[in-house]
Amino acid sequence: MSDLPAHVVANPRLGTWVTAAPDRLHVEVHVGKVELGQGIVTALAQIAADALGLPLSRIRMVPAHTTHGPDQGLTAGSLSVTQTGPALRHVGAVVRALADPSAEGYVERIAALDPDTDLRVAPTAGSVTSAAVGCSTPRLDLPDKVLGRPRYLADLRPEGLLHGRVLRPPSVGATLAELDPDWKAPGVELVRDGSFVGVVGEREVDVDRALEQLRRDCRWDEQDLLPDEDDLPAWLRTGPHEEIAVLDEGGPETVALTASYSKPFLVHASIAPSVGLARWGDGTLRAWSHSQGIHPLRAAIAQALALDPAAVEVEHVENAGCYGHNAADDAAFDAVLLARAVPGRPVLARWTRPDELAWAPLSSAMTVTVSAGLVDGRITGWCYDVWSQGHTSRPGFRGTPGLLAGASLATPVPLPPPSDPPLATGGGTTRNAVPIYDVGPRRIVGHRKAETPLRTSAMRALGSYLNVFAIESFVDELADAAGADPVEFRLAHLSDPRAAHVVATAAELAGWSDPLPEDVGRGLGFARYKDRGAYCAVVAEVAAASTVAVRRLTVVADLGLVVNPDGARNQLEGGATQATSWTTTERVRFDRRRITSDDWESYPILRFAQAPAVDVHLVESTAPSLGSGEAAQGPTAAAIANAVQRALGVRVRDLPLDADAVVRAIDQSA
Amino acid sequence: MNLTVNGSPVSLTSDGETPLLTALRDELGLVGTRFGCGQGLCGACHVNVDGAVLPSCQTPLWQVEGRSVTTVEGLGRDGAPHPVQQAIVDHQAAQCGFCISGIVVTAAALLEQEPDADADRVAEALDRNLCRCGAQRRIVGAVLAARRPT
């Protein structure tokens, strides 16, 4: 019993996981993990095929659903394979024990199984050899997307569909002061509840035009609530804070080196604006969402509107990649609120591009101060403080719904300051704040800002991005101080053989000691994500002069047993490329009242010609599988900064690492 | 409004100021052309109008009256994807895929005009197409593979 997978214990009913398709040829596999563009549904189909003893072509993956499928919480934290793989293997072993896969009529026998079979006590067959796992199976969802078939949530056209738009306030904390009670626009109906205003209509062109008219016709009371964008580290260090005590072993006896690092606010910047679809009727509220957690979303909607959760159903439908907690849940709630005004009619509420960049939860700005002792080339103690806003405002956080529109309702459902995931699941502010190196006594503390006007939440890697950037930049600074090569210095402080292997392999494959032209540098960054996830080292080759051009990234990862090698490579390539964009280009802009970076010109992201070549090498392993989607971000940032240092001899400690930052660093070092 | 979409004449009831993207998705049900920004800055809604690649979100219907519009659905037909589409699948050159429709349209137009385009030229042609997942290098590789064998 004790070795039962946790997600089987939480979802012990056989029919929650596996059903026979009506054609009696295919087996339907229900998972609570959702496709975000990371290829997880394909990887889980591979695992399910092997577990059930069927070819992949006989598996049908069913989108996550709060009523019909398992509750697996969030699709987040690079945990989907880690959590779902063992569950599917157990479910498959039960099915094979009860339905004999070796004889004809297997699917018919699966259809005849009691869906209420208790997976915790049912007999299990022995394990099977892998057939699908380990293969680079092409993504099941890609053909539809590449051929332009309806696949995304905004493509759904249910009977009686109405389009909806919500007018967001112009700034944080703004309240609606004035709107003509007889306001009208062609082809639409106004929906208002307090400062929440929106329109619904039959035709998309009408709701788009009505939204612009509404924007002109609403008067708002606004306040200057935002901090000074140019002084974020000082603002982050100003209390009150919630203290997060990670480790207190005393720290170094004598400090040899101290440095501070920072990152600005970033935003997920999904290519698709968020969208939600909802319909009230027959005593049930139905919503379709690209949320990362349809069960928490259902609970949040029910809590916000004082509904019985059993009367709310949420089904997952894909949208563009979200890279964390973007506005998916908020858009679903917008659709719910708009649809409440038109019972029986489905309402598709789509956000605008400016709202997606300015109103989706942000990734928090952060700052770090780290100091260390250094004696005879060895690190002899480590003291680390990190200041940040919280890294989760997901539905259900701090016991609240956490849905944006709630704060605007006549009876508000407030949005408290962001929190962090528990340390046991990796934390947020302090994720990867503990160095993997042997550094002597450590004192590591997180300081989470307790009051803030800016809503922040999980973006890929959470606090790990800045913590790894800071630690890995600082390790290079310590190596310089010790007169040591950065790779040799790391290897001398690494006692985990898997870590050392990844670092050494990355250096070797990147030609670490090969000569480079002037103004070109090579730098390395390394981490084990969340201290127990994937090992990943990145070597960046950067040309730094009037611009910072990341030319090549060599990525080496130990992911344990890899379910789909090409899928894992794609995730690492994408993670490293996106992190190159964060590191060299991105910064949320604002004045004291409004977020001003609300289009692709004011919030630029990496373009095709700027994307580095990425070479990925996966370490062969049969260790338990580890997720790949968040492994490369922190190491990439540090590798780029370390490469710039080696190219130009200047250290950039404040992101983004763009041409301006290089100029500032040169000025400071002069 | 009369125009040709994917080779077939269509007559639209939407007014002339309606963005082509909205008419394609809402009136014709051609949802393969994606809404990404509505500002002509991301490329997700690119379509081909008489050989020129345009952001359909910024193209009012009056501007395409009497002209021939090709969307992503018109490039690949049942069982016969466009070489760029086939290459993107072959190379698994996408993650979420939301940007891909516009990229397919842009790249197909490039290869039509410059069948020997090299990697730098492909990246340059895709400069107005944003990809957030970080699949840029895979996509460039796929487009190069879609060139006619020489």
Side-chain angles (χ1 to χ4, degrees), chain A residues 37 139 146 148 152 154-155 163 204 209 267-268 321 323 350 353 566 570-571 573-574 578 586 607 611-612, chain B residues 15 18 25-26 32 34-37 39 85 92 94-98 126-127 129-130 132-133 136-138:
Chain A
R139 286 260 301 276
V146 175
Y152 300 104
D155 301 339
H163 293 280
E204 198 154 23
R209 288 170 178 169
V267 65
H268 305 78
Y323 323 110
R350 198 203 68 217
R353 170 53 48 194
D566 187 62
N570 204 349
Q571 278 297 291
E573 286 169 28
Q578 188 179 80
E586 298 182 31
R607 290 184 174 270
Chain B
D15 65 68
T18 303
R25 292 184 59 86
D26 209 27
R34 316 295 186 193
F35 179 94
C37 71
Q39 301 167 323
Q85 291 171 315
Q92 295 288 290
Q95 287 190 24
C96 80
F98 200 86
L126 293 173
D127 187 60
N129 293 85
L130 297 179
R132 183 55 162 166
C133 295
Q136 286 93 338
R137 285 289 185 142
R138 276 191 183 224

Side-chain angles (χ1 to χ4, degrees), chain A residues 561-614:
Chain A
L561 175 70
V562 177
V563 176
N564 185 318
D566 187 62
R569 277 192 205 98
N570 204 349
Q571 278 297 291
L572 289 162
E573 286 169 28
T577 305
Q578 188 179 80
T580 301
S581 183
W582 297 351
T583 304
T584 60
T585 309
E586 298 182 31
R587 175 187 186 187
V588 172
R589 311 306 304 261
F590 45 89
D591 56 26
R592 301 310 286 261
R593 179 170 287 189
R594 298 182 180 185
I595 290 180
T596 54
S597 52
D598 66 353
D599 63 26
W600 293 121
E601 287 179 334
S602 48
Y603 193 86
I605 62 173
L606 204 70
R607 290 184 174 270
F608 264 80
Q610 299 168 307
V614 187

Side-chain angles (χ1 to χ4, degrees), chain B residues 56-67:
Chain B
S56 58
C57 73
Q58 292 293 294
T59 305
L61 278 182
W62 61 260
Q63 204 175 314
V64 292
E65 186 162 28
R67 301 180 70 183

